[in-house]
Amino acid sequence: MTYTPANPESVFTYGAPQLKFGHGASDEIGYDLSLTGATRVLVVTDPGVAATGIVQRVAEQMSQFGIEALIYDQVHVEPTDESFQHAIDHAKDHGPFDAYVAVGGGSSIDTAKAVNLLMTNPGELMDYVNVPVGGGKNPSNPLKPLIAVPTTTGTGAESTTICVLDVLAQKVKTGISHARLRPTMAVVDPRLTMTQPAEVTASAGMDILCHALESWTARPYTSFEHKSPEERVPYCGANPVADMWSSKALTLLATSFRQSVRHGDDERARNDMALAATFAGMGFGNAGVHIPHANAYPIAGRVKDFRPGGYPGEEPMVPHGMAVSLTAPEAFRFTFDTNPERHIQAARMLAPEAEITSDPRDFLPGVLADLMRDIGIPNGIESVGYDESDISGLVAGAVKQQRILAAAPKQVTEDDLYGIFQQSLQLW
């Protein structure tokens, strides 16, 4: 059922961080921080990125501006409530800090957001986690400046107002969302992504793609009931500004995605992927995402023993972008009837040479499946360890993501989700 509000919304909002993009942009972070007046900064990263030397170079260039940099390099890839708390405790033990710099993928950027939140606001981590998993509390105080420096092309975390985590006790992935979590500045230096393994490029790239597709197909902002100013949230529904960023991301992916997976040393492809990730973040960070992301959280949170190539192998994990992609073809088949033209346009932007299918409902899912197969994404949720008996648990986890499902272009029942998961056991 689609939405027919009695008093339709007439206002949409848009927000984005300051952006510095291009080769060498990360060499200017010391200067950028000096403009904030910061003298003591916490740099947040993970062990893998720290081992490349990138983080040390970023920290060292701050000293010429009189800024002391302390490095925290124990971010957990696909962070949990435990790993967030470890980082928060470390910051409290070694603080205070005037600003934060996150260098890495979405895991590092999201961890820095959580640290910044709990270093500036009272209470515990779970107080701020989205309901019904956590308390859904809003921060009462402003946060310190945060500069986000992505080394992967995918999450868009440098542009958004959310940080994502696994809540271990509930076996569910969820988030904390508020406009104050948005980084102050995004520094996107494509050369930092050149060492991404092919598997990481493929998974993170599917996150870019789903960000763009989900915000492009999200329910329009006019389909919500009219809000008062204090009720406005960052995810306001599809709107003309978010559409512009999402559609441009899709056209960039059409020419750069396969190439960057197959030829990671192609600087132009890497540059275009970094642009696509930034643009998609600016799109979904305002319009929102919906069913594929809601489904991804339990797919990742309930992982059994799947270990993907290209990622740290100590623990089982389904990388976020991979998890998002696994039900995307079926999800967009489900949402097709809400706006057939948009779904067809999306397929044509992503695959301009593709022939439309005899049933247009299958066009976008087919384009997605072809791409996923080409870049080595697993063939459905069965390939990452789930079977029919797991679907009820996956549905229960997805249903908890009401903040995200609210952006779906039509109402989604548990039966609908069950069908999407069932049809996603195998994709081709």
Side-chain angles (χ1 to χ4, degrees), residues 295-347:
N295 291 348
Y297 289 167
I299 290 172
R302 302 175 71 87
V303 63
K304 298 177 182 179
D305 56 8
F306 181 76
R307 288 173 169 81
Y311 286 84
E314 300 84 15
E315 300 173 12
M317 64 180 291
V318 182
H320 175 64
M322 182 185 293
V324 170
S325 72
L326 293 176
T327 64
E330 198 58 35
F332 292 118
R333 188 175 280 111
F334 170 76
T335 58
F336 177 83
D337 60 348
T338 64
N339 194 326
E341 183 181 355
R342 281 216 159 207
H343 288 68
I344 292 168
Q345 284 177 330

Side-chain angles (χ1 to χ4, degrees), residues 165-182:
L165 69 157
D166 280 310
V167 178
L168 295 175
Q170 299 186 42
K171 290 189 175 181
V172 67
K173 190 180 282 277
T174 183
I176 302 171
S177 180
H178 192 273
R180 286 181 172 170
L181 268 65
R182 195 190 307 274

Side-chain angles (χ1 to χ4, degrees), residues 1-6 217-220 223-225 290-291 331 334-338 399 402 404-418 420:
M1 186 171 70
T2 54
Y3 298 93
T4 53
T217 57
R219 59 186 287 193
S223 72
F224 289 89
E225 292 290 339
H290 54 85
I291 298 169
F334 170 76
T335 58
F336 177 83
D337 60 348
T338 64
V399 167
Q402 287 301 313
I404 295 175
L405 290 173
K410 63 180 178 180
Q411 293 175 0
V412 189
T413 67
E414 290 189 27
D415 286 345
D416 294 330
L417 291 170
Y418 195 100
I420 290 169

